[in-house]
Amino acid sequence: MQSVSMFSVKKIRADFPILQKKVNRQQLIFLDSTSTSQKPKQVLQAINEYYENYNANPHRSLYKLCEKATELYENAHEDAAKFIGAHGKAEIVFVRNTNEAINLVMYSWAMNNLKAGDEILLTLMEHHANIVPWQFLQKFGVKLKFVKLDDSGTLDMDDFEQQLTKEVKLVSLTHCSNVLGTINDVEKLSKLAHDNGSLFLVDAAQSVPHMTVDVKKIDCDFLAFSGHKMLGPMNIGVLYGKSEILGKMEPFMRGSDMIKEVKLTESSWNDLPWKFEAGTPNVEGAVGLSAAIDYLTKIGMEEIQKHEGRLTEYALEKLSTVDGITIYGPQNGIKRGGIISFNLKGIHSHDVAQILDDFGIAIRSGHHCAMPLMKYLGIQSAARASFYLYTTKDEIDALANGLQKVNQVFK
Amino acid sequence: MSLDLYGENILEHFKNPVNRGILENADATAFEVNPLCGDELGVRIKVNNGYIVDARFFGTGCAISQAAVDILLEQIKSRSVQDAAVLDKDKFLKTLGIELSALRLRCALLGFKALKIAALKILSQR
Protein backbone atom coordinates (compact mmCIF):
# COMPACT_ATOMS: atom_id res chain seq x y z
CA MET A 1 0.00 0.00 0.00
CA GLN A 2 1.19 3.50 -0.83
CA SER A 3 2.00 5.71 2.11
CA VAL A 4 -0.68 8.37 1.95
CA SER A 5 -0.31 10.43 5.12
CA MET A 6 2.13 13.13 6.03
CA PHE A 7 4.03 12.00 9.09
CA SER A 8 2.55 13.81 12.08
CA VAL A 9 3.52 12.62 15.56
CA LYS A 10 0.74 14.71 17.04
CA LYS A 11 -1.86 12.98 14.89
CA ILE A 12 -0.34 9.58 15.61
CA ARG A 13 -0.33 10.15 19.37
CA ALA A 14 -4.02 10.97 19.32
CA ASP A 15 -4.61 7.36 18.20
CA PHE A 16 -3.00 5.91 21.35
CA PRO A 17 -5.33 6.13 24.37
CA ILE A 18 -2.60 5.18 26.85
CA LEU A 19 -0.40 8.09 25.78
CA GLN A 20 -3.07 10.48 27.08
CA LYS A 21 -2.84 8.95 30.58
CA LYS A 22 -1.08 10.17 33.65
CA VAL A 23 1.34 8.13 35.74
CA ASN A 24 2.25 9.33 39.21
CA ARG A 25 0.18 12.44 38.38
CA GLN A 26 2.57 13.12 35.50
CA GLN A 27 1.96 12.84 31.81
CA LEU A 28 3.13 9.37 30.75
CA ILE A 29 6.39 9.45 28.82
CA PHE A 30 6.73 5.98 27.39
CA LEU A 31 10.28 5.17 26.33
CA ASP A 32 10.14 1.38 26.44
CA SER A 33 8.75 0.33 23.08
CA THR A 34 11.58 -2.15 22.67
CA SER A 35 9.95 -4.17 25.47
CA THR A 36 6.50 -3.71 24.06
CA SER A 37 4.80 -1.05 22.01
CA GLN A 38 1.61 0.76 22.89
CA LYS A 39 -1.53 0.08 20.88
CA PRO A 40 -3.53 2.47 18.71
CA LYS A 41 -7.32 2.51 19.01
CA GLN A 42 -7.57 1.01 15.52
CA VAL A 43 -6.01 -2.21 16.86
CA LEU A 44 -8.13 -2.22 20.01
CA GLN A 45 -11.28 -1.61 17.98
CA ALA A 46 -10.48 -4.37 15.50
CA ILE A 47 -10.17 -6.89 18.34
CA ASN A 48 -13.39 -5.68 19.91
CA GLU A 49 -15.18 -5.80 16.58
CA TYR A 50 -14.06 -9.37 16.05
CA TYR A 51 -15.52 -10.51 19.37
CA GLU A 52 -18.71 -8.51 18.96
CA ASN A 53 -19.45 -9.69 15.43
CA TYR A 54 -17.52 -12.71 14.25
CA ASN A 55 -16.23 -14.80 17.13
CA ALA A 56 -16.01 -18.47 16.17
CA ASN A 57 -13.41 -21.21 16.04
CA PRO A 58 -11.88 -20.98 12.55
CA HIS A 59 -11.41 -24.01 10.27
CA ARG A 60 -14.10 -25.91 12.17
CA SER A 61 -17.61 -25.34 10.87
CA LEU A 62 -19.66 -24.08 7.99
CA TYR A 63 -21.81 -21.38 9.55
CA LYS A 64 -21.36 -17.73 8.68
CA LEU A 65 -19.46 -16.68 11.80
CA CYS A 66 -16.95 -19.45 11.34
CA GLU A 67 -16.52 -18.55 7.72
CA LYS A 68 -15.76 -14.96 8.70
CA ALA A 69 -13.44 -15.94 11.57
CA THR A 70 -11.57 -18.26 9.19
CA GLU A 71 -11.30 -15.51 6.62
CA LEU A 72 -9.98 -13.02 9.18
CA TYR A 73 -7.50 -15.52 10.54
CA GLU A 74 -6.19 -16.57 7.13
CA ASN A 75 -6.09 -13.02 5.82
CA ALA A 76 -3.93 -12.04 8.78
CA HIS A 77 -1.36 -14.54 7.49
CA GLU A 78 -1.56 -12.92 4.05
CA ASP A 79 -1.17 -9.46 5.59
CA ALA A 80 1.91 -10.55 7.51
CA ALA A 81 3.32 -12.21 4.37
CA LYS A 82 2.86 -9.03 2.35
CA PHE A 83 4.35 -6.89 5.13
CA ILE A 84 7.67 -8.76 5.05
CA GLY A 85 7.69 -9.61 1.35
CA ALA A 86 6.99 -13.34 1.72
CA HIS A 87 5.33 -15.28 -1.10
CA GLY A 88 2.14 -15.93 0.83
CA LYS A 89 0.49 -17.44 3.85
CA ALA A 90 2.15 -20.85 3.42
CA GLU A 91 5.35 -19.21 4.65
CA ILE A 92 3.78 -17.51 7.67
CA VAL A 93 3.35 -19.56 10.85
CA PHE A 94 1.60 -17.81 13.71
CA VAL A 95 3.23 -18.42 17.06
CA ARG A 96 3.03 -16.64 20.40
CA ASN A 97 6.17 -14.57 19.96
CA THR A 98 9.72 -14.48 18.58
CA ASN A 99 10.87 -16.73 21.39
CA GLU A 100 8.41 -19.44 20.39
CA ALA A 101 9.27 -19.05 16.71
CA ILE A 102 12.92 -19.81 17.47
CA ASN A 103 11.93 -22.78 19.61
CA LEU A 104 9.86 -24.06 16.69
CA VAL A 105 12.93 -24.01 14.44
CA MET A 106 15.00 -25.64 17.16
CA TYR A 107 12.54 -28.50 17.80
CA SER A 108 11.26 -29.03 14.26
CA TRP A 109 14.27 -28.30 12.11
CA ALA A 110 17.44 -28.51 14.21
CA MET A 111 16.48 -31.59 16.27
CA ASN A 112 15.82 -33.51 13.06
CA ASN A 113 18.64 -32.20 10.91
CA LEU A 114 21.65 -31.61 13.14
CA LYS A 115 24.00 -34.20 14.52
CA ALA A 116 26.91 -34.30 16.95
CA GLY A 117 29.77 -32.16 15.69
CA ASP A 118 27.52 -29.73 13.83
CA GLU A 119 27.73 -26.10 14.87
CA ILE A 120 25.40 -23.15 15.22
CA LEU A 121 26.87 -19.68 14.83
CA LEU A 122 25.30 -16.98 17.02
CA THR A 123 26.63 -13.60 18.12
CA LEU A 124 27.41 -11.99 21.46
CA MET A 125 24.58 -9.50 20.98
CA GLU A 126 21.76 -12.04 21.02
CA HIS A 127 18.66 -11.91 23.17
CA HIS A 128 18.18 -14.93 25.45
CA ALA A 129 15.43 -16.04 23.03
CA ASN A 130 18.13 -16.69 20.44
CA ILE A 131 20.60 -18.34 22.82
CA VAL A 132 18.77 -20.53 25.31
CA PRO A 133 16.78 -22.66 22.81
CA TRP A 134 20.00 -23.61 21.00
CA GLN A 135 21.76 -24.51 24.25
CA PHE A 136 19.37 -27.46 24.48
CA LEU A 137 21.09 -29.01 21.45
CA GLN A 138 24.43 -29.15 23.21
CA LYS A 139 23.46 -32.37 24.91
CA PHE A 140 23.28 -33.97 21.47
CA GLY A 141 26.80 -32.80 20.71
CA VAL A 142 25.89 -29.67 18.74
CA LYS A 143 28.34 -26.84 19.38
CA LEU A 144 27.42 -23.18 19.81
CA LYS A 145 29.79 -20.44 18.68
CA PHE A 146 29.46 -16.70 19.20
CA VAL A 147 30.72 -13.96 16.91
CA LYS A 148 32.54 -11.18 18.75
CA LEU A 149 31.72 -7.49 18.57
CA ASP A 150 34.07 -4.64 17.89
CA ASP A 151 34.45 -1.63 20.18
CA SER A 152 31.58 0.26 18.58
CA GLY A 153 29.19 -2.61 19.30
CA THR A 154 28.94 -3.83 15.72
CA LEU A 155 29.71 -7.35 14.54
CA ASP A 156 33.35 -8.21 14.05
CA MET A 157 33.14 -9.33 10.43
CA ASP A 158 36.60 -10.92 10.42
CA ASP A 159 35.59 -13.03 13.37
CA PHE A 160 32.30 -13.90 11.65
CA GLU A 161 34.04 -15.18 8.55
CA GLN A 162 36.64 -17.02 10.59
CA GLN A 163 34.04 -18.81 12.68
CA LEU A 164 31.86 -19.64 9.70
CA THR A 165 33.39 -23.07 9.23
CA LYS A 166 32.03 -26.03 7.31
CA GLU A 167 30.55 -27.47 10.52
CA VAL A 168 28.23 -24.46 10.87
CA LYS A 169 24.80 -25.65 9.74
CA LEU A 170 22.86 -22.63 10.97
CA VAL A 171 23.66 -18.96 11.44
CA SER A 172 21.10 -17.35 13.73
CA LEU A 173 21.38 -13.69 14.63
CA THR A 174 19.50 -10.55 15.44
CA HIS A 175 18.67 -7.95 12.82
CA CYS A 176 18.73 -5.17 15.39
CA SER A 177 20.21 -5.53 18.87
CA ASN A 178 17.68 -4.88 21.63
CA VAL A 179 20.47 -3.44 23.78
CA LEU A 180 22.94 -1.73 21.47
CA GLY A 181 20.60 -0.71 18.67
CA THR A 182 23.16 -2.14 16.25
CA ILE A 183 21.64 -2.99 12.88
CA ASN A 184 23.30 -5.99 11.29
CA ASP A 185 23.76 -6.19 7.55
CA VAL A 186 21.59 -9.28 7.21
CA GLU A 187 21.70 -9.33 3.42
CA LYS A 188 25.47 -9.61 3.43
CA LEU A 189 25.51 -12.08 6.34
CA SER A 190 22.86 -14.21 4.68
CA LYS A 191 24.95 -14.48 1.54
CA LEU A 192 28.03 -15.49 3.52
CA ALA A 193 26.01 -18.10 5.41
CA HIS A 194 24.52 -19.56 2.23
CA ASP A 195 27.87 -19.60 0.45
CA ASN A 196 29.01 -21.75 3.34
CA GLY A 197 26.00 -24.05 2.99
CA SER A 198 24.47 -22.88 6.28
CA LEU A 199 20.86 -21.90 6.84
CA PHE A 200 20.21 -18.34 8.00
CA LEU A 201 17.73 -17.30 10.70
CA VAL A 202 16.97 -13.67 11.50
CA ASP A 203 15.62 -12.57 14.88
CA ALA A 204 13.66 -9.60 13.58
CA ALA A 205 11.83 -8.72 16.81
CA GLN A 206 13.42 -5.25 16.80
CA SER A 207 13.52 -4.64 13.07
CA VAL A 208 10.14 -5.58 11.59
CA PRO A 209 8.35 -3.01 13.82
CA HIS A 210 10.70 -0.21 12.83
CA MET A 211 11.85 -0.58 9.22
CA THR A 212 11.01 -2.14 5.90
CA VAL A 213 12.03 -5.78 6.06
CA ASP A 214 11.96 -7.91 2.93
CA VAL A 215 12.62 -11.61 3.39
CA LYS A 216 13.26 -12.10 -0.32
CA LYS A 217 15.93 -9.41 -0.34
CA ILE A 218 17.54 -10.78 2.81
CA ASP A 219 17.12 -14.27 1.38
CA CYS A 220 16.82 -15.65 4.92
CA ASP A 221 15.55 -19.17 5.54
CA PHE A 222 13.72 -18.20 8.74
CA LEU A 223 12.71 -14.88 10.24
CA ALA A 224 10.93 -14.35 13.54
CA PHE A 225 9.09 -11.40 15.03
CA SER A 226 6.46 -10.51 17.63
CA GLY A 227 3.19 -8.66 17.13
CA HIS A 228 3.22 -6.83 20.44
CA LYS A 229 6.34 -4.86 19.59
CA MET A 230 4.67 -3.51 16.44
CA LEU A 231 1.42 -2.08 17.84
CA GLY A 232 -0.33 -5.45 17.90
CA PRO A 233 -1.49 -7.46 20.90
CA MET A 234 0.66 -9.79 22.98
CA ASN A 235 0.82 -13.51 22.23
CA ILE A 236 0.82 -13.29 18.47
CA GLY A 237 4.08 -13.61 16.61
CA VAL A 238 5.32 -14.85 13.28
CA LEU A 239 7.77 -17.41 12.08
CA TYR A 240 8.53 -16.89 8.42
CA GLY A 241 10.13 -19.86 6.73
CA LYS A 242 10.87 -20.64 3.10
CA SER A 243 8.09 -22.98 2.07
CA GLU A 244 10.47 -25.62 0.70
CA ILE A 245 12.10 -25.80 4.13
CA LEU A 246 8.89 -25.62 6.20
CA GLY A 247 7.39 -28.27 3.94
CA LYS A 248 10.09 -30.79 4.85
CA MET A 249 10.02 -30.04 8.56
CA GLU A 250 8.33 -32.12 11.22
CA PRO A 251 5.44 -30.49 13.11
CA PHE A 252 6.21 -28.62 16.34
CA MET A 253 3.07 -29.00 18.43
CA ARG A 254 0.81 -31.91 17.61
CA GLY A 255 -2.95 -32.18 17.92
CA SER A 256 -5.97 -30.61 16.30
CA ASP A 257 -6.09 -28.47 13.16
CA MET A 258 -2.54 -29.38 12.21
CA ILE A 259 -3.65 -32.71 10.74
CA LYS A 260 -5.06 -33.90 7.46
CA GLU A 261 -6.20 -37.27 8.66
CA VAL A 262 -6.01 -39.03 12.01
CA LYS A 263 -6.09 -42.78 12.51
CA LEU A 264 -5.69 -44.46 15.86
CA THR A 265 -1.96 -44.91 15.62
CA GLU A 266 -0.88 -42.49 12.90
CA SER A 267 -1.72 -39.15 11.36
CA SER A 268 -0.85 -37.09 8.34
CA TRP A 269 -0.15 -33.40 8.42
CA ASN A 270 -2.14 -30.45 7.21
CA ASP A 271 -0.84 -28.06 4.52
CA LEU A 272 1.41 -25.13 5.33
CA PRO A 273 1.24 -23.15 7.50
CA TRP A 274 -1.47 -25.01 9.46
CA LYS A 275 0.82 -28.00 9.97
CA PHE A 276 2.59 -25.84 12.57
CA GLU A 277 -0.48 -24.36 14.24
CA ALA A 278 -2.00 -26.94 16.56
CA GLY A 279 -5.12 -26.30 18.58
CA THR A 280 -7.57 -23.40 18.59
CA PRO A 281 -5.61 -20.45 17.26
CA ASN A 282 -5.29 -16.91 18.59
CA VAL A 283 -7.78 -15.21 16.27
CA GLU A 284 -7.99 -12.03 18.31
CA GLY A 285 -4.20 -11.77 18.13
CA ALA A 286 -4.26 -12.34 14.39
CA VAL A 287 -6.96 -9.71 13.91
CA GLY A 288 -5.02 -7.27 16.08
CA LEU A 289 -1.82 -7.97 14.17
CA SER A 290 -3.62 -7.34 10.88
CA ALA A 291 -4.89 -4.01 12.16
CA ALA A 292 -1.40 -3.10 13.38
CA ILE A 293 0.14 -3.95 10.01
CA ASP A 294 -2.53 -1.88 8.32
CA TYR A 295 -1.81 1.06 10.64
CA LEU A 296 1.96 0.88 10.11
CA THR A 297 1.57 0.48 6.35
CA LYS A 298 -0.65 3.53 6.07
CA ILE A 299 1.91 5.64 7.90
CA GLY A 300 4.76 4.08 5.98
CA MET A 301 7.69 2.14 7.37
CA GLU A 302 10.17 4.45 5.72
CA GLU A 303 8.60 7.47 7.38
CA ILE A 304 8.70 5.68 10.71
CA GLN A 305 12.34 4.75 10.30
CA LYS A 306 13.23 8.32 9.33
CA HIS A 307 11.40 9.70 12.37
CA GLU A 308 13.18 7.29 14.70
CA GLY A 309 16.50 8.06 13.03
CA ARG A 310 16.07 11.78 13.71
CA LEU A 311 15.05 11.10 17.32
CA THR A 312 17.97 8.76 17.92
CA GLU A 313 20.47 11.24 16.57
CA TYR A 314 18.95 13.96 18.76
CA ALA A 315 18.85 11.69 21.82
CA LEU A 316 22.46 10.58 21.45
CA GLU A 317 23.55 14.20 21.40
CA LYS A 318 21.22 15.32 24.19
CA LEU A 319 21.97 12.41 26.52
CA SER A 320 25.72 12.76 26.05
CA THR A 321 25.45 16.03 28.02
CA VAL A 322 24.14 14.22 31.12
CA ASP A 323 26.75 14.02 33.89
CA GLY A 324 28.40 10.64 34.37
CA ILE A 325 26.61 8.92 31.48
CA THR A 326 28.04 6.01 29.50
CA ILE A 327 26.15 5.19 26.32
CA TYR A 328 26.54 1.73 24.77
CA GLY A 329 26.37 0.78 21.12
CA PRO A 330 27.25 2.43 17.82
CA GLN A 331 27.75 6.18 17.83
CA ASN A 332 29.33 8.80 15.59
CA GLY A 333 26.75 8.51 12.87
CA ILE A 334 26.78 4.74 12.45
CA LYS A 335 23.26 3.69 11.46
CA ARG A 336 21.39 2.22 14.41
CA GLY A 337 17.92 1.57 15.74
CA GLY A 338 16.03 3.81 18.16
CA ILE A 339 17.39 2.03 21.20
CA ILE A 340 19.82 3.69 23.62
CA SER A 341 21.24 1.78 26.56
CA PHE A 342 23.24 3.66 29.14
CA ASN A 343 24.42 3.84 32.73
CA LEU A 344 24.98 6.71 35.10
CA LYS A 345 28.21 6.53 37.05
CA GLY A 346 27.73 4.96 40.49
CA ILE A 347 23.98 4.50 40.08
CA HIS A 348 22.28 1.18 39.36
CA SER A 349 19.92 1.09 36.40
CA HIS A 350 17.04 0.01 38.65
CA ASP A 351 17.47 3.13 40.71
CA VAL A 352 17.61 5.27 37.57
CA ALA A 353 14.38 3.73 36.29
CA GLN A 354 12.66 3.97 39.64
CA ILE A 355 13.35 7.67 40.06
CA LEU A 356 12.40 8.44 36.45
CA ASP A 357 9.08 6.74 37.13
CA ASP A 358 8.32 9.53 39.59
CA PHE A 359 8.35 11.86 36.62
CA GLY A 360 6.10 9.58 34.59
CA ILE A 361 9.03 8.39 32.47
CA ALA A 362 8.98 4.67 31.63
CA ILE A 363 12.32 3.15 30.65
CA ARG A 364 13.67 -0.38 30.91
CA SER A 365 16.35 -1.34 33.37
CA GLY A 366 18.13 -4.61 33.98
CA HIS A 367 19.93 -7.06 31.73
CA HIS A 368 17.45 -6.81 28.84
CA CYS A 369 17.41 -10.59 28.43
CA ALA A 370 20.96 -10.35 27.13
CA MET A 371 23.10 -11.45 30.06
CA PRO A 372 26.02 -12.68 27.92
CA LEU A 373 26.15 -9.26 26.23
CA MET A 374 26.07 -7.51 29.61
CA LYS A 375 29.00 -9.63 30.70
CA TYR A 376 30.85 -8.84 27.49
CA LEU A 377 30.28 -5.12 28.09
CA GLY A 378 31.56 -5.62 31.64
CA ILE A 379 28.34 -4.44 33.27
CA GLN A 380 25.66 -6.06 35.38
CA SER A 381 22.79 -4.08 33.96
CA ALA A 382 21.90 -0.97 32.01
CA ALA A 383 19.08 1.52 31.63
CA ARG A 384 17.48 1.70 28.19
CA ALA A 385 15.34 4.27 26.44
CA SER A 386 13.74 3.31 23.17
CA PHE A 387 11.65 5.15 20.62
CA TYR A 388 8.80 4.51 18.25
CA LEU A 389 6.59 6.37 15.86
CA TYR A 390 4.80 8.16 18.72
CA THR A 391 7.95 9.38 20.52
CA THR A 392 8.65 13.13 20.57
CA LYS A 393 11.73 15.28 21.04
CA ASP A 394 10.10 16.77 24.14
CA GLU A 395 10.06 13.32 25.69
CA ILE A 396 13.78 12.98 25.10
CA ASP A 397 14.32 16.38 26.72
CA ALA A 398 12.26 15.19 29.68
CA LEU A 399 14.45 12.09 29.90
CA ALA A 400 17.64 14.15 29.92
CA ASN A 401 16.22 16.42 32.64
CA GLY A 402 15.04 13.40 34.60
CA LEU A 403 18.52 11.89 34.48
CA GLN A 404 20.03 15.06 35.92
CA LYS A 405 17.53 14.76 38.77
CA VAL A 406 18.58 11.15 39.32
CA ASN A 407 22.14 12.40 39.60
CA GLN A 408 21.03 14.93 42.21
CA VAL A 409 19.36 12.27 44.37
CA PHE A 410 22.59 10.28 44.45
CA LYS A 411 24.93 13.25 44.74
CA MET B 1 6.44 8.62 45.36
CA SER B 2 9.44 6.41 44.90
CA LEU B 3 11.74 9.31 45.76
CA ASP B 4 10.81 8.40 49.35
CA LEU B 5 12.72 5.17 48.76
CA TYR B 6 15.93 7.05 48.51
CA GLY B 7 15.84 8.55 51.98
CA GLU B 8 18.93 9.35 53.99
CA ASN B 9 19.09 5.94 55.64
CA ILE B 10 19.02 3.95 52.40
CA LEU B 11 21.40 6.25 50.57
CA GLU B 12 23.83 6.28 53.49
CA HIS B 13 23.97 2.47 53.63
CA PHE B 14 24.33 2.36 49.83
CA LYS B 15 27.14 4.87 49.64
CA ASN B 16 28.97 3.87 52.80
CA PRO B 17 28.14 0.26 53.55
CA VAL B 18 29.43 -1.03 56.86
CA ASN B 19 29.32 -4.71 56.00
CA ARG B 20 30.61 -4.80 52.47
CA GLY B 21 33.68 -6.88 51.78
CA ILE B 22 35.05 -10.37 51.52
CA LEU B 23 34.96 -12.23 54.83
CA GLU B 24 38.00 -14.47 55.12
CA ASN B 25 37.59 -17.90 56.73
CA ALA B 26 33.83 -17.77 56.51
CA ASP B 27 31.85 -20.81 57.66
CA ALA B 28 29.20 -20.43 54.99
CA THR B 29 28.74 -18.56 51.72
CA ALA B 30 25.56 -18.18 49.71
CA PHE B 31 24.63 -16.33 46.52
CA GLU B 32 21.37 -15.03 45.24
CA VAL B 33 20.68 -13.72 41.76
CA ASN B 34 17.88 -11.36 40.85
CA PRO B 35 16.69 -12.63 37.46
CA LEU B 36 15.17 -9.24 36.71
CA CYS B 37 18.47 -7.40 36.62
CA GLY B 38 21.11 -10.09 36.87
CA ASP B 39 22.42 -8.65 40.11
CA GLU B 40 24.40 -11.15 42.14
CA LEU B 41 24.74 -10.78 45.83
CA GLY B 42 26.82 -13.01 48.07
CA VAL B 43 26.67 -13.26 51.83
CA ARG B 44 29.37 -14.86 53.98
CA ILE B 45 28.97 -15.57 57.66
CA LYS B 46 31.34 -16.59 60.41
CA VAL B 47 29.87 -18.65 63.22
CA ASN B 48 30.99 -19.42 66.75
CA ASN B 49 29.02 -21.63 69.13
CA GLY B 50 25.92 -21.28 67.03
CA TYR B 51 26.15 -17.50 66.91
CA ILE B 52 26.97 -15.29 63.94
CA VAL B 53 30.10 -13.44 64.91
CA ASP B 54 30.66 -11.73 61.58
CA ALA B 55 28.79 -11.29 58.29
CA ARG B 56 29.74 -9.53 55.06
CA PHE B 57 28.23 -9.15 51.63
CA PHE B 58 29.79 -8.78 48.19
CA GLY B 59 28.59 -8.25 44.65
CA THR B 60 26.87 -5.46 42.82
CA GLY B 61 23.35 -4.23 43.00
CA CYS B 62 20.98 -1.31 43.14
CA ALA B 63 20.74 1.06 46.09
CA ILE B 64 17.83 -0.91 47.53
CA SER B 65 19.48 -4.33 47.43
CA GLN B 66 22.83 -3.05 48.68
CA ALA B 67 21.40 -0.91 51.48
CA ALA B 68 18.95 -3.64 52.52
CA VAL B 69 21.64 -6.29 52.88
CA ASP B 70 23.89 -3.88 54.74
CA ILE B 71 21.10 -3.13 57.22
CA LEU B 72 20.24 -6.82 57.49
CA LEU B 73 23.77 -7.90 58.34
CA GLU B 74 23.94 -5.16 60.96
CA GLN B 75 20.84 -6.66 62.57
CA ILE B 76 21.96 -10.25 62.44
CA LYS B 77 25.41 -10.00 63.93
CA SER B 78 25.72 -11.65 67.36
CA ARG B 79 22.39 -13.37 66.88
CA SER B 80 22.09 -17.14 66.56
CA VAL B 81 22.24 -18.97 63.24
CA GLN B 82 18.84 -20.37 64.14
CA ASP B 83 17.48 -16.81 64.35
CA ALA B 84 18.89 -16.00 60.95
CA ALA B 85 17.37 -19.14 59.43
CA VAL B 86 13.86 -18.30 60.60
CA LEU B 87 14.07 -14.53 60.23
CA ASP B 88 10.68 -13.08 59.37
CA LYS B 89 10.56 -11.43 55.96
CA ASP B 90 7.88 -8.89 56.80
CA LYS B 91 9.49 -7.89 60.07
CA PHE B 92 12.75 -7.31 58.28
CA LEU B 93 11.12 -5.30 55.52
CA LYS B 94 9.45 -3.14 58.15
CA THR B 95 12.83 -2.18 59.58
CA LEU B 96 13.83 -0.75 56.21
CA GLY B 97 11.14 1.89 56.62
CA ILE B 98 10.29 2.10 52.94
CA GLU B 99 7.38 1.00 50.82
CA LEU B 100 8.36 -1.34 48.04
CA SER B 101 6.56 -2.41 44.90
CA ALA B 102 6.38 -6.12 44.10
CA LEU B 103 9.28 -5.80 41.68
CA ARG B 104 11.50 -3.90 44.10
CA LEU B 105 10.75 -6.41 46.89
CA ARG B 106 13.02 -8.81 45.04
CA CYS B 107 15.84 -6.28 45.32
CA ALA B 108 15.27 -5.73 49.02
CA LEU B 109 15.15 -9.47 49.70
CA LEU B 110 18.16 -10.50 47.64
CA GLY B 111 20.56 -10.40 50.60
CA PHE B 112 17.88 -11.71 52.93
CA LYS B 113 17.55 -14.87 50.85
CA ALA B 114 21.31 -15.30 50.61
CA LEU B 115 21.68 -14.96 54.38
CA LYS B 116 18.98 -17.56 54.98
CA ILE B 117 20.64 -20.02 52.65
CA ALA B 118 23.98 -19.45 54.38
CA ALA B 119 22.35 -20.02 57.78
CA LEU B 120 20.62 -23.17 56.57
CA LYS B 121 23.92 -24.48 55.23
CA ILE B 122 25.40 -24.16 58.73
CA LEU B 123 22.40 -25.82 60.35
CA SER B 124 22.45 -28.73 57.94
CA GLN B 125 26.11 -29.36 58.69
CA ARG B 126 25.36 -30.12 62.29
Side-chain angles (χ1 to χ4, degrees), chain B:
Chain B
M1 291 292 270
S2 73
L3 278 179
D4 302 338
L5 282 183
Y6 302 96
E8 223 171 279
N9 188 36
I10 294 290
L11 280 181
E12 181 53 30
H13 277 279
F14 172 61
K15 288 181 191 163
N16 304 304
V18 192
N19 301 305
R20 191 187 170 84
I22 301 291
L23 184 60
E24 302 290 341
N25 307 319
D27 296 297
T29 304
F31 297 93
E32 263 300 301
V33 177
N34 183 351
L36 188 66
C37 53
D39 285 347
E40 269 182 20
L41 208 60
V43 167
R44 306 191 87 181
I45 55 176
K46 193 157 180 50
V47 176
N48 195 0
N49 275 331
Y51 282 82
I52 296 173
V53 290
D54 204 356
R56 295 288 156 98
F57 74 94
F58 56 97
T60 56
C62 62
I64 304 298
S65 71
Q66 301 270 296
V69 69
D70 199 46
I71 293 167
L72 172 72
L73 298 188
E74 206 55 14
Q75 292 172 5
I76 206 68
K77 273 185 215 169
S78 55
R79 287 176 66 183
S80 72
V81 180
Q82 185 65 38
D83 279 356
V86 298
L87 208 61
D88 186 78
K89 183 178 80 179
D90 295 324
K91 269 190 200 155
F92 164 65
L93 287 171
K94 224 173 224 175
T95 64
L96 296 179
I98 48 178
E99 264 194 52
L100 293 158
S101 68
L103 289 172
R104 283 328 279 282
L105 266 183
R106 298 191 205 181
C107 308
L109 291 173
L110 202 57
F112 179 88
K113 286 185 199 156
L115 171 69
K116 281 211 157 185
I117 294 167
L120 288 169
K121 275 186 183 172
I122 300 276
L123 292 176
S124 67
Q125 280 166 14
R126 286 183 183 167

Side-chain angles (χ1 to χ4, degrees), chain A residues 7 9 33-34 176 183 206-211 229 231 296 300-316 336-340 386-391 396:
Chain A
F7 192 87
V9 184
S33 293
T34 294
C176 175
I183 297 171
Q206 301 300 345
S207 61
V208 166
H210 301 278
M211 61 186 81
K229 293 185 198 292
L231 314 183
L296 290 169
M301 293 312 291
E302 267 166 46
E303 290 297 318
I304 292 169
Q305 193 178 4
K306 266 191 236 159
H307 171 70
E308 289 175 24
R310 285 191 294 265
L311 285 176
T312 307
E313 205 177 305
Y314 179 73
L316 283 171
R336 57 179 284 162
I339 296 168
I340 300 180
S386 54
F387 318 131
Y388 209 0
L389 71 170
Y390 40 64
T391 310
I396 289 163

Side-chain angles (χ1 to χ4, degrees), chain A residues 106 110-111 114 120 133-142 144:
Chain A
M106 194 277 284
M111 290 275 275
L114 299 191
I120 297 177
W134 308 119
Q135 288 175 345
F136 182 63
L137 298 169
Q138 291 177 130
K139 70 173 176 186
F140 306 108
V142 173
L144 306 186

Side-chain angles (χ1 to χ4, degrees), chain A residues 283-302:
Chain A
V283 185
E284 90 165 65
V287 166
L289 179 63
S290 262
I293 287 173
D294 184 54
Y295 188 91
L296 290 169
T297 308
K298 277 181 178 146
I299 289 176
M301 293 312 291
E302 267 166 46

